[in-house]
Amino acid sequence: MLILTYLTSCNSIKYVQENENLLKKNTVYINDKKERKGDFDKFLIQKPNQNALGIPLSLYFYNLGNPDFEKSYEEWVANNAKKHNSYKRIFSQKQTKVIYNTNQGFNNWFISKGQSPIIYEPSKAKKSTKYLTNYYHSKGFFDAEITFDSKQLKEKEIGIDYKITTNKQYYIDSISTEIESPVLDSIYKLHQDMSIIKKGKAFVFDDFDQEENRLITLFRNSGIYYFTRNSMGFWTDSIKGDYNKDVLIKIPDRILMVNDSVKKSSYKVRNITSVNIITDFSIKNRGLKYKDSIKYNGYNFYSYGKMKVKPKHLVNAIFIKPNNYFKEAERSLTRNHIRKLNTFTSSVDINYTENYDESLDVDIYLTPLKKFALTFDLDATTSNIKPFGILGKTSLLGRNIFNGSETLELSFQGAFLNVSNDASNSSKFFNAWEMISSASLKFPRILFPINTSSIIPKHMIPKTNMNMSVSFQKNIGLDRQTITGGMGYTWKSSKATGHRFDLINLQYIKNQNTNNYFFIYDSEYQKLNNIYIDITGNELPENKVENYNAINNEMVNFLADSDNQDNYPEDYDTVSDVSERQDILTEDVMVPVFSYSFVYNSRKNVNDNNFSYFTTRFVSAGLISTAIATNENILGQKLMFGLPIAQYFKIEFEYKKYWELRKDNILIFRTFVGAAIPYGNSTNIPFSRSYSAGGSNEIRAWRTFDLGPGAQLNTLEFNVATFKLVSNLEYRFRLTSKIHSALFIDAGNIWDITDSNLYEDAAKLINFSSLKNTAIGSGIGIRYDFGFLVFRFDVGFKTYEPYLPINNKWFVNYNFGNAVYNIGINYPF
């Protein structure tokens, strides 16, 4: 806040010279009405300095530097003799050079990251009026008039008013055609109802561009190989009365050069005779003879060496069909699908050659990637549970493992961590570690006993994914060991929609060090200790790890004595809850899951900042395995490999909407809702599959696990529940070329929906009125864009705390002392 105050106190015209004016404001008036949307910024050559919330912070940042700062130490000494002499009395020459280099470094950073003042130039304003005129002409306003006026706002500050008088818009009166080739004329008339330009519509250039693209796409996907953008044109008459224009679509026959003479030829549908796939092409073997060849389903496969691909699998990525007519879309599909195989380089050449009978031969040139690739990654991690850690990962990637474009990845990941709760009492900074070893095998097709091609055809890019991972922890919580294996399928039914079906995902969870329990959950220990003091006058052993069994035995013995339930009913309920929670949190469990996920993403490319994203996921755990399992424990729970089978149903929804208000200013709304319901073999959800609230990616005013459930003032170190609702609203804007900022509001919480006796009513989602216990956080963030990643620092302030006393929940702890400081990599959503 102090930095912001200092920046805004800077003089914005500090480096504006005499007889110059800082461009402070552009205003556009359309038919005497002020335009507020900023849609015309892209047509204005000169724009004021970038601003955030009305403040030109990038200019203030620049003004902290000096564009005329001395380029050399000698020049600096000469220009600052008095200051240099005072330095000489205190510092050595070497130290003085360090001062110069430091000042120069800071100065260059301010200058490079800030934005120099935008000086008004009348010639650029005049050019802007030409761009605006062209724009309005393109929208059918051929009589539009655009002028500009400049006005002095303050000393050396000027504003420009662009005044647009649109006058009347022109419309299409009639559309006629002159198409010489009969086949083109037939195709055009067959699809005429799909035309973009129609009688009565405004005469808009974009519509004509879209119609031209539609016709080119239509003809080239109907067998017309030689049809290009130069093959057609739109003609309009001189202006008729009443602001109407007639449109003529002219498509002459193809022009050919035959024996130095010009000849016209009608367009024809071209058929494909053969499709040849060269599977190991490279520059060095160009022109050599093929040593291996295979014919499969009408396709010809060639290789300069031994064939290292299986044609029956590779044809799944080839959409160009022999003995069929030419379609441009098939070439694009083939190129894209081959690239996604991760077997060949992205340079996929597909060439068409005309034969004497006017048919086409197709040659597809593929260059294999290296069979194996070894990668090394080093990273840093941070969270409230693991304040700091160094993570290293080694991966071996194998391509085309079984000659069917399969991809095998073996990875080993290790991390040395500094954990916030050190059960080992180690004095070392890195007092914990974690290891993960994983293997994944991906097939570019569906592996299933039944042929699924009629349901999931190859253009949906079907994949089968198999994976296995093993992880170990030391001095992290209860030192959980997990073994996970699964098999699933992914496919895309359209550009925007994707699907994932996990046929099986089996996870084995074992807590290796339950002796840490009362150390990790100190609040539970304190509850037992307070009761023990009240009843016996003594305290429980202090070393919670070494004396875990003794503490646990005291709890078991207390519950085993039936008299305690009568003599100390409240204490008995408290100890019973502690014991039940301990059973849940230390339970070793087997989690067999099958699930389905649906994703809709309307984003067209990485530069599209106006899009929607929606995903839903349905999960069923233990449904089939409990039905076929025969072994049971003394509690009647079905077992798999000697462990209880988790049985629950989970459903989740997430929606995100992005609006680009203007360049580099984006508003994002996100909401997530999820529910997990145990049944049958389970009375609770495994800890790792439960919901938590807080953290750097959602409700940033609370740390992970600190919030909830509901309005219950919980003293547990790790709070989880079975229902979660979170919504976020974030406004992102640019400060300088590399520095961005954000203002955000986060709202949400977790609740219990299983009616467990471990939760108070305030922690349960009983009806809609329970949503009043939604927590609200707000804050500000600074993000630095390195290009390959974004470093994020967000400060979250507790705005509404549902667990505080009634009528005193708003802004009680809204200060820097109770704020949460989040560090993250890339954006939270």
Side-chain angles (χ1 to χ4, degrees), residues 243-282:
Y243 297 93
N244 289 320
K245 278 178 170 286
D246 292 328
V247 176
L248 173 64
I249 303 174
K250 296 182 70 172
I251 306 179
D253 281 342
R254 186 179 167 213
I255 305 298
L256 301 176
M257 290 293 296
V258 180
N259 298 326
D260 296 328
S261 61
V262 177
K263 177 183 176 182
K264 295 181 72 175
S265 174
S266 296
Y267 287 96
K268 298 177 182 178
V269 174
R270 303 300 175 112
N271 290 311
I272 295 171
T273 301
S274 64
V275 179
N276 309 307
I277 301 100
I278 297 86
T279 61
D280 58 352
F281 175 78
S282 67

Side-chain angles (χ1 to χ4, degrees), residues 747-770:
N749 209 329
I750 53 174
W751 289 265
D752 173 64
I753 57 174
T754 63
D755 199 28
S756 170
N757 63 287
L758 298 179
Y759 299 98
E760 301 171 1
D761 286 346
K764 297 178 180 180
L765 188 70
I766 300 172
N767 49 45
F768 280 109
S769 65
S770 301

Side-chain angles (χ1 to χ4, degrees), residues 496-513:
T497 56
H499 309 262
R500 179 183 179 94
F501 175 66
D502 285 310
L503 182 64
I504 181 64
N505 183 284
L506 184 64
Q507 187 175 57
Y508 163 89
I509 302 173
K510 183 174 179 60
N511 294 296
Q512 300 282 78
N513 195 356

Side-chain angles (χ1 to χ4, degrees), residues 310-321:
K310 292 180 179 178
K312 70 175 183 177
H313 295 317
L314 187 53
V315 292
N316 289 329
I318 299 173
F319 293 83
I320 303 169
K321 304 178 184 69

Side-chain angles (χ1 to χ4, degrees), residues 776-813:
I776 300 175
S778 57
I780 187 170
I782 296 293
R783 289 86 189 267
Y784 191 91
D785 187 354
F786 286 96
F788 59 92
L789 62 82
V790 175
F791 175 81
R792 176 165 52 92
F793 179 71
D794 292 339
V795 183
F797 299 95
K798 295 176 177 63
T799 307
Y800 179 83
E801 300 173 74
Y803 44 79
L804 291 181
I806 194 167
N807 299 327
N808 193 30
K809 300 174 184 286
W810 286 95
F811 301 106
V812 175
N813 295 300

Side-chain angles (χ1 to χ4, degrees), residues 373-388:
L374 188 63
T375 60
F376 300 92
D377 291 311
L378 188 65
D379 204 353
T381 180
T382 180
S383 70
N384 58 309
I385 302 171
K386 308 168 188 175
F388 184 74

Side-chain angles (χ1 to χ4, degrees), residues 386-641:
K386 308 168 188 175
F388 184 74
I390 299 294
L391 184 150
K393 183 178 180 181
T394 301
S395 298
L396 175 66
L397 185 69
R399 303 183 178 93
N400 199 30
I401 295 299
F402 306 120
N403 295 336
S405 295
E406 304 83 5
T407 303
L408 173 68
E409 183 174 9
L410 304 175
S411 66
F412 176 80
Q413 178 176 306
F416 292 101
L417 305 161
N418 168 260
V419 297
S420 52
N421 286 325
D422 181 8
S424 68
N425 293 317
S426 171
S427 59
K428 297 179 181 178
F429 179 77
F430 290 112
N431 51 16
W433 54 263
E434 184 174 32
M435 290 191 303
I436 303 173
S437 181
S438 64
S440 68
L441 182 59
K442 298 179 181 179
F443 298 82
R445 52 193 173 275
I446 298 292
L447 295 183
F448 201 71
I450 302 172
N451 190 339
T452 60
S453 59
S454 60
I455 305 172
I456 308 174
K458 65 181 185 179
H459 73 263
M460 293 186 180
I461 322 176
K463 292 181 180 179
T464 300
N465 306 300
M466 299 180 182
N467 61 79
M468 173 71 73
S469 66
V470 180
S471 68
F472 300 92
Q473 296 177 335
K474 182 63 177 176
N475 202 27
I476 303 173
L478 303 179
D479 294 350
R480 183 188 305 150
Q481 174 189 348
T482 61
I483 302 175
T484 305
M487 178 176 177
Y489 309 101
T490 61
W491 67 95
K492 290 181 69 69
S493 53
S494 71
K495 288 184 178 180
T497 56
H499 309 262
R500 179 183 179 94
F501 175 66
D502 285 310
L503 182 64
I504 181 64
N505 183 284
L506 184 64
Q507 187 175 57
Y508 163 89
I509 302 173
K510 183 174 179 60
N511 294 296
Q512 300 282 78
N513 195 356
T514 55
N515 285 6
N516 280 353
Y517 180 79
F518 289 115
F519 178 84
I520 300 300
Y521 294 94
D522 179 69
S523 58
E524 299 288 80
Y525 169 84
Q526 295 301 335
K527 292 174 186 176
L528 296 179
N529 193 39
N530 290 337
I531 293 172
Y532 195 74
I533 292 172
D534 289 343
I535 295 174
T536 68
N538 298 316
E539 293 189 358
L540 289 171
E542 289 187 2
N543 193 317
K544 305 161 196 168
V545 177
E546 293 182 2
N547 295 299
Y548 168 79
N549 289 329
I551 298 169
N552 198 55
N553 288 336
E554 291 291 347
M555 179 175 65
V556 172
N557 292 335
F558 180 84
L559 293 174
D561 188 344
S562 58
D563 291 338
N564 289 331
Q565 190 169 8
D566 297 326
N567 298 330
Y568 312 103
E570 291 186 7
D571 291 341
Y572 189 90
D573 287 343
T574 300
V575 176
S576 179
D577 288 348
V578 171
S579 177
E580 187 173 345
R581 242 186 320 263
Q582 181 192 30
D583 291 341
I584 293 172
L585 295 173
T586 61
E587 180 184 29
D588 299 332
V589 67
M590 189 69 69
V591 188
V593 162
F594 68 85
S595 64
Y596 168 75
S597 301
F598 170 84
V599 176
Y600 171 80
N601 188 352
S602 66
R603 192 174 196 181
K604 297 175 182 177
N605 52 61
V606 294
N607 297 316
D608 182 8
N609 291 316
N610 285 291
F611 67 95
S612 299
Y613 173 94
F614 171 77
T615 182
T616 183
R617 184 169 180 250
F618 303 91
V619 180
S620 178
L623 178 65
I624 298 175
S625 52
T626 53
I628 62 176
T630 57
N631 294 332
E632 296 183 355
N633 60 16
I634 58 174
L635 299 176
Q637 290 179 302
K638 295 290 185 71
L639 304 178
M640 178 183 289
F641 305 117

Side-chain angles (χ1 to χ4, degrees), residues 55-68:
I55 303 170
L57 292 179
S58 59
L59 173 61
Y60 293 154
F61 214 73
Y62 179 90
N63 287 345
L64 291 176
N66 179 5
D68 298 320

